Structures are given as structure tokens and as C-alpha cells.
Amino acid sequence: PTTRIWLRWHVGATLRVSAETSDSGEVTLRFSGLRCGPVAGAHDFYRRAGLDERACSAEELQCHMEKARILEALWERDSASFPAALLPLLEPIGQNSLFFEVSRTLGHGFGWIMLAALCTPPIVVDGLRFSPRRGAIALVRLDEDAPGVELARRHDFVGLNLDVSKHLHGLSALSSAVRTLARQFFALESSLAILLTAWAPKFQESGAAGADPPLVAR
């Protein structure tokens, strides 16, 4: 009840799980039939908010920043119009005036959180790798057969979420503040975000850790 998750899990009728081990101590759980994607209404709200009118590449910071500002303004006008499944995640920040203002100071962080949640791409989860050196990492890929994949591809939702998560992976000037707040108030949620993005080459090459295995187990 206290966990605020911005995605939906889809478990196939014939879910299969297998395990692999390596000499380095890694354990990999392989899945067949496990997917996840946006919560109900997320992509529709993205369109209704006018965010589909302009496509931004993952590197276009100002383009995404404008969308983050639009979402913050929409929240202040009518927070109840946001997808109901996202409210448990958004309300602790959006209804707290101190958190809201701090997020604005940190580059409109609340708007970026909303944008990333709405831009959750449909993905296939092929496995979970537990490494003594890097922690837990999900092995994922874009779900080419899922509803919403065209929107995700047009706006590079995968790239956007990787860019947003760099703060949690310690690769930005804001990382220290973001990680401190995440550990204190959103430990499980931030661990899930790290788990689902740690596969990216830029995070592996930087040596960034994956998610904390005990939190993943929870």
C-alpha cells in the first residue's frame, strides 16, 4: 500500500523461469512471458496534455524541460485529471509545497518525474541478473507488439527514461541531492527505476551500480 509504482506488470499465461550461474558468481533468472508497460491512461493523458505535438530526441533537454513545465502547470490547475494509478506516486510531492518548490529548484524535478512516468515504454523483461559487483540488473527490450510502441518509438521513451535515471545512477551534478531524497522517501521506487535502466551501456561503462538486491527481493 505504501509502494508507488508507475508501471503495470503483465504476466503471460505460460510464464517460464529458468536460472543460470557463472564462475564470477552471477546468477541470472531468465523469463519467458513477463512484460511491463505504462499504467492505464498514461499514454492517452500524454496526448491530451498536448505533449505528442512535438517529438523530442532524448538529448533535447530544453524540449523535454518545456514538457515538464507544462505538466507542473497542469498539476497545479487540475491534479485530479492525471491518471488515477499515478496519483499515489505523484501526490506525496505535488501536494507538499516544500517538496514542490525544492523540485522546481532542482530543475523542475517534479515535472520530469511526471514526464518519465507518462513516458513509460512497453517492455519485455527477459531476465534479472544478480551480480556480486554491480547488484541487480533487469534485462529488458522494447515490446514491439504492445499497444503504445509507436508512441514510445516516436518520442524515444526508452532514451528519455535513461536520461532521467542518470541522476539515480550518479552521473549528473544533481545526483547527490536526488539520491539522498530518493533513498529517504522513495527507496523501493528508485530501486525499481535503477533496476530497469542499469542495463544501458553508458551506465555499465561508467561502473554505476545496479539496484540493491534486498530491495529488489522486497
Side-chain angles (χ1 to χ4, degrees):
T2 58
T3 303
R4 299 165 286 263
I5 300 301
W6 63 96
L7 50 77
R8 285 192 300 179
W9 293 96
H10 304 274
V11 181
T14 57
L15 175 67
R16 294 183 178 87
V17 183
S18 61
E20 303 170 359
T21 60
S22 71
D23 293 338
S24 63
E26 290 185 345
V27 176
T28 302
L29 298 179
R30 297 284 181 182
F31 303 123
S32 175
L34 182 61
R35 292 171 163 80
C36 63
V39 300
H43 287 181
D44 287 341
F45 186 85
Y46 183 90
R47 294 185 179 94
R48 291 200 310 274
L51 305 183
D52 189 29
E53 295 174 4
R54 179 182 177 187
C56 316
S57 69
E59 295 77 21
E60 290 184 88
L61 176 62
Q62 289 305 314
C63 181
H64 289 301
M65 181 70 79
E66 181 57 31
K67 292 185 178 184
R69 292 193 185 103
I70 289 171
L71 289 171
E72 286 185 346
L74 284 172
W75 179 269
E76 289 185 293
R77 290 201 305 271
D78 185 12
S79 61
S81 67
F82 281 71
L86 290 180
L87 295 181
L89 171 71
L90 303 178
E91 286 178 343
I93 302 175
Q95 294 184 350
N96 184 305
S97 58
L98 176 59
F99 281 179
F100 196 95
E101 288 307 315
V102 168
S103 82
R104 278 183 167 163
T105 303
L106 295 175
H108 295 276
F110 183 46
W112 281 94
I113 290 172
M114 290 189 282
L115 183 61
L118 293 172
C119 294
T120 298
I123 60 175
V124 177
V125 183
D126 289 319
L128 289 179
R129 178 165 294 150
F130 297 89
S131 165
R133 185 176 62 87
R134 291 202 62 214
I137 301 168
L139 309 176
V140 302
R141 55 188 167 87
L142 192 64
D143 189 348
E144 300 290 348
D145 299 321
V149 69
E150 292 301 328
L151 184 72
R153 193 181 289 114
R154 166 174 156 77
H155 294 279
D156 192 12
F157 284 177
V158 172
L160 171 63
N161 275 272
L162 292 179
D163 192 61
V164 172
S165 69
K166 70 184 178 186
H167 306 296
L168 293 172
H169 287 282
L171 300 183
S172 78
L174 298 176
S175 287
S176 179
V178 170
R179 293 168 96 175
T180 297
L181 289 171
R183 280 193 296 266
Q184 185 168 356
F185 299 105
F186 299 95
L188 289 174
E189 296 80 7
S190 60
S191 185
L192 178 60
I194 292 170
L195 175 73
L196 293 173
T197 56
W199 60 269
K202 64 180 178 182
F203 299 142
Q204 295 194 50
E205 291 166 4
S206 72
D212 181 40
L215 282 176
V216 172
R218 287 175 62 187

